[in-house]
Amino acid sequence: MTLTLALDAGTSSVRVLAFDHDGVIVGQAQKEIRSATDTLGRIVQDPAEILSSLFHCLDTVLKANDQPISAVGLTNQRESFVCLDSRTLDPLGPLISWQDRSTAARCRTLKEGDVESFVKEQTGLPIDPYFSSTKLCDEVKRLNIDEAGRQLAFATVDTLITLALTSKTRYVTEASNASRTQLFNTETLSFSDELLDLFELDSKFLRFPEVVPSIGGGTVLHSETFPMLNGVPLGAILGDQQSSLLGQGCLTPGSAKNTYGTGSFLLANTASNRLTPSNGLLGSVGWTLPDGVTTYVLEGAIYSTGSTLRWFRDALGLFDDYSELDDLIAATPSSGGTTFLPLFEGLGSPYMDPNPRGAITGLSLSSTRPEIVVGAIEAMAHQGADVIDAMEELQGLRIGELRVDGGVSVMNRLCQLQADYANVQVQRSTIAESTAFGVAGAAMYAVGALNSLDELRTINPPSDLFLPTKSRSSITTKRALWRDRLDRVRNAATSGERHEAY
């Protein structure tokens, strides 16, 4: 028996999972990684910690399994990036996180300059600090590259890890990651000089990786640290959310999934239909194949989901371990009129509003700790429903089924609320680790172990089904209350822009 490895470099942790041909996990290791705020106020991570943690997990899994490895798949957090020395391909600074909002003011200025329609047309993305473009401009200026021929090399997380696993011989990325930089034309599938000019980035001083197919990209591993992987194909590279969509078997137009991780990411497959999004949605590349076939996706990005629960645990001490959550909220039927608005980094899709910040409204002296936690879980479902409403309006398609995965999806309470608020059938996957399974399955397909990507649907069928409650009156009331309180917080943030004290 041969195994396929999935390397999953997320925002809060890195993991390595070994899958057999039937999608069964036969080995895994995970390690948390840290985020920090640097002296410039940016949210950053240490690229060396990401690599060392990933290699620790890889070493653990390889030592625990003696079966040969037929292929490796890599999936990762997307918009985060690091600048490298173009000569040595070593990092010159921290990895700047997708969670960082330090360029919000610059994004507002660009929007006022009426260039957003052009950016959306080329990239499928609105101008927002979520993406790499404006933060890369600041980082290039900070590194003070001169005009003496020096260059920076740009690297998303997949590029950083591929360099490390190929002894720096493969400086590559693929379209699902590149399409999240806001510097990549998703029609021509290339980095755009026009976008570089718009974001004040000079290509003379900035090098970008080669763009290879997402599946079957031709990279072969070579590492002194892991000699048993030498010659093993890196069969697939995918951004984490696209990998989850594939792993959930969402291969037909209109099929959708939601991954509840650090944030929530709700994607719908639009096949070859490259939409120019509106309604605060994002258009990206799903994956590309060596024959040139490109699958596109429509996405709603919600910034805070698991990070909210982590904040409850680490900063507020509302519980000590995630395993306590079910017992904590079991006897609490609702949030008791409390609305939790987890806008720690602004508001994502379908609003894409960087201004508002988190709030808890509707508090009274009778409000309890479990009610606040339930309020946060309700907020996850409300935000997912907001995205589905916007997708259906843009596509003219009814999303009747939603596949769900990610750590928080184990909560039955959340899955039922999502079914109720979005009025969709929610299906929880048999394989909880659908993100890792997606890229592992893609790697299997790349080396001929699967005959088609459609086999992923058979390997990973739904395990649990949640149907929307037939009585809609109370749900309609709750949805209206959510929108009213969200609008109030957004309006307060807009008014407060005039006052530094806000």
Side-chain angles (χ1 to χ4, degrees), residues 244-266:
S244 172
L245 188 73
L246 190 58
Q248 297 270 26
C250 297
L251 297 165
T252 56
S255 55
K257 71 91 195 178
N258 198 0
T259 296
Y260 304 92
T262 300
S264 288
F265 298 90
L266 204 157

Side-chain angles (χ1 to χ4, degrees), residues 191-258:
F191 288 100
S192 164
D193 287 336
E194 292 176 291
L195 289 167
L196 290 174
D197 289 343
L198 189 150
F199 290 107
E200 300 178 11
L201 293 163
D202 193 330
S203 58
K204 289 187 298 183
F205 309 123
L206 196 57
R207 178 183 169 197
F208 287 90
E210 176 189 358
V211 182
V212 299
S214 310
I215 301 170
T219 294
V220 175
L221 301 185
H222 176 75
S223 168
E224 294 181 3
T225 307
F226 302 105
M228 70 176 295
L229 294 181
N230 289 344
V232 174
L234 182 59
I237 306 172
L238 290 166
D240 50 8
Q241 303 312 318
Q242 286 89 336
S243 183
S244 172
L245 188 73
L246 190 58
Q248 297 270 26
C250 297
L251 297 165
T252 56
S255 55
K257 71 91 195 178
N258 198 0

